[in-house]
Amino acid sequence: DSGVTQTPKHLITATGQRVTLRCSPRSGDLSVYWYQQSLDQGLQFLIQYYNGEERAKGNILERFSAQQFPDLHSELNLSSLELGDSALYFCASSVQSGNTGELFFGEGSRLTVL
Amino acid sequence: GENVEQHPSTLSVQEGDSAVIKCTYSDSASNYFPWYKQELGKRPQLIIDIRSNVGEKKDQRIAVTLNKTAKHFSLHITETQPEDSAVYFCAARSGNTPLVFGKGTRLSVIA
């Protein structure tokens, strides 16, 4: 158990809909990262938050947004969903922003868009 | 930004043989290179990492080498076992930037 909690584990929805994925980082970790894992695409970095503020942005679509709350949990909002958004979405946390330490991943949220 | 290329995409070895996975990176400022293992249906987990001031690091059956001049690093697994079967990801980071991952190598160890 990494200590990072993601909900829901599985989600099936239709095109055009909106979903919210939730992540609770390890106790004491200030940094939260969101990654998207599609077939043959590895782990694509979406966005990072550090202590409530956006720290870095990757290949995140405009239809997607995220935030980190005062209790450090984070939510990833995906709207106007398309078939191609079907993927495994991982949240990871680390103690500090940009340190060379380990990223701890949650179990992921598998999104299926029909 | 950083770009990480990983080869091969799939690798099959006989149990007991060695496996080597190679990665190249583009940003010469990158200074941290971890390797993650993802078993089927599970989350990625760190197995070994190396920093730019070190050329090689070993932990039991796994080792990582780094060639900063050529901007490539490799994972070596010796005496492979069936439980080594998984997808392995290399990654790189410079300074405060988030980790950039390669596309992964699916390793199958055949008993």
Side-chain angles (χ1 to χ4, degrees):
Chain A
D1 183 7
S2 67
V4 178
T5 304
Q6 286 188 250
T7 58
K9 285 186 169 50
H10 301 276
L11 191 56
I12 301 173
T13 189
T15 55
Q17 295 299 304
R18 172 191 169 95
V19 298
T20 297
L21 310 180
R22 194 178 191 278
C23 169
S24 293
R26 290 190 324 155
S27 177
D29 284 359
L30 301 179
S31 216
V32 169
Y33 306 77
W34 286 97
Y35 284 86
Q36 180 191 56
Q37 185 174 38
S38 305
L39 283 175
D40 300 326
Q41 290 299 314
L43 291 158
Q44 296 286 321
F45 168 68
L46 296 178
I47 197 163
Q48 178 203 356
Y49 281 84
Y50 176 74
N51 202 20
E53 295 189 1
E54 182 183 306
R55 182 57 62 95
K57 226 171 189 179
N59 299 320
I60 187 167
L61 300 172
E62 285 191 11
R63 300 183 286 108
F64 297 179
S65 64
Q67 59 184 124
Q68 186 179 29
F69 295 86
D71 66 353
L72 300 179
H73 91 271
S74 177
E75 292 181 357
L76 178 66
N77 301 297
L78 315 174
S79 62
S80 302
L81 286 168
E82 301 175 359
L83 296 178
D85 298 327
S86 295
L88 189 53
Y89 291 85
F90 281 107
C91 168
S93 73
S94 67
V95 174
Q96 296 176 14
S97 172
N99 73 325
T100 54
E102 182 174 357
L103 280 187
F104 293 89
F105 284 84
E107 297 292 336
S109 292
R110 182 171 295 282
L111 173 66
T112 302
V113 182
L114 300 176
Chain B
E2 176 65 274
N3 182 52
V4 178
E5 299 283 340
Q6 182 171 349
H7 301 280
S9 57
T10 60
L11 178 61
S12 291
V13 298
Q14 292 289 330
E15 183 179 358
D17 287 350
S18 295
V20 180
I21 303 170
K22 299 182 179 182
C23 290
T24 60
Y25 60 98
S26 61
D27 187 352
S28 56
S30 287
N31 57 3
Y32 177 63
F33 308 90
W35 287 86
Y36 283 76
K37 175 183 180 182
Q38 185 179 25
E39 297 178 358
L40 189 62
K42 298 195 174 180
R43 61 188 172 87
Q45 290 185 269
L46 178 71
I47 55 170
I48 195 168
D49 58 12
I50 191 168
R51 288 160 175 73
S52 59
N53 58 345
V54 176
E56 184 174 0
K57 183 176 179 180
K58 193 173 182 180
D59 182 5
Q60 299 183 333
R61 294 186 300 106
I62 59 173
V64 58
T65 59
L66 171 64
N67 183 327
K68 287 207 70 182
T69 302
K71 289 192 283 188
H72 67 70
F73 56 115
S74 301
L75 177 71
H76 304 253
I77 306 174
T78 59
E79 301 172 20
T80 53
Q81 301 168 3
E83 51 265 38
D84 294 328
S85 296
V87 178
Y88 291 81
F89 292 97
C90 62
R93 162 195 279 158
S94 69
N96 292 325
T97 62
L99 277 175
V100 175
F101 286 86
K103 291 192 175 182
T105 296
R106 184 174 300 278
L107 174 65
S108 298
V109 179
I110 304 164

